[in-house]
Amino acid sequence: MSTTLRFPAGLYGVTPEWEDGDKLCAAVRAAARGGMTSLQLRHKGQDATKRRELALRLQDVCREAGVVFLINDDWRLALSIGADGVHLGREDEAPSVVRREVGPDMLIGVSCYADLARAQGFLTEDVAYIAFGAMFASQTKPLAPPAPLEVVTAGRALCEQFAAPR
């Protein structure tokens, strides 16, 4: 990985679709005090201006708390505000394309759902992390099919295999 920022171990938060920015910032501060190490802004319903404003507010909160801040799907927004990273899903551009656009210093994470072959393919690219799920029913992703818990164990083994010296 060519990025100087490393993706932290620990609790990875994902924002709900709350419209109240004050409430969301307060919740992020509380989660950071509770041990959250990274946060993904996942607001798909907002217009671009409101999303950018919220992203800037949350980025300030995250920086104050020492929490890595990522934007879901929108690498252009992440790049324009100087976010720590972007999280890419199935419908987004490929990590290799995004890497060329954002440069070596932005973290890129990818959704793998329950697909171990997808995860293995991404581990050969310059991604900071792979993500599986949803693992349980969630208001954040209500239509996501559940991934079996065993996929996390298999995904960890894949990561260890790719991290081993070659």
Side-chain angles (χ1 to χ4, degrees):
M1 178 187 323
S2 55
T3 169
T4 55
L5 178 65
R6 302 273 314 175
F7 190 76
L11 182 62
Y12 181 113
V14 179
T15 63
E17 297 278 339
W18 295 348
E19 295 296 323
D20 184 338
D22 292 337
K23 178 181 175 182
L24 190 54
C25 287
V28 168
R29 283 186 187 95
R33 285 191 304 274
M36 181 177 68
T37 59
S38 57
L39 176 72
Q40 178 192 133
L41 172 60
R42 187 178 192 282
H43 265 236
K44 294 184 176 262
Q46 286 188 326
D47 71 41
T49 301
K50 286 183 180 178
R51 191 165 193 244
R52 181 181 178 81
E53 289 169 2
L54 182 59
L56 288 167
R57 287 185 68 189
L58 287 176
Q59 180 170 253
D60 287 345
V61 170
C62 286
R63 288 204 170 134
E64 289 170 12
V67 170
V68 169
F69 182 61
L70 302 108
I71 304 285
N72 185 62
D73 297 337
D74 192 347
W75 65 264
R76 288 173 182 85
L77 174 59
L79 184 62
S80 74
I81 69 167
D84 297 314
V86 62
H87 181 86
L88 303 173
R90 190 181 331 239
E91 306 301 320
D92 299 320
E93 291 178 85
S96 58
V97 171
V98 173
R99 174 62 65 210
R100 283 194 301 273
E101 298 296 326
V102 301
D105 295 328
M106 184 177 283
L107 296 170
I108 297 175
V110 292
S111 288
C112 297
Y113 312 98
D115 188 341
L116 290 169
R118 179 178 171 87
Q120 186 169 2
F122 284 137
L123 287 171
T124 65
E125 297 188 35
D126 193 9
V127 299
Y129 68 92
I130 56 173
F132 295 101
M135 306 311 290
F136 305 98
S138 156
Q139 291 180 356
T140 304
K141 294 184 95 173
L143 302 177
L149 292 176
E150 296 78 26
V151 79
V152 175
T153 303
R156 182 179 180 131
L158 272 176
C159 289
E160 289 171 357
Q161 174 188 340
F162 276 85
R166 296 176 193 245

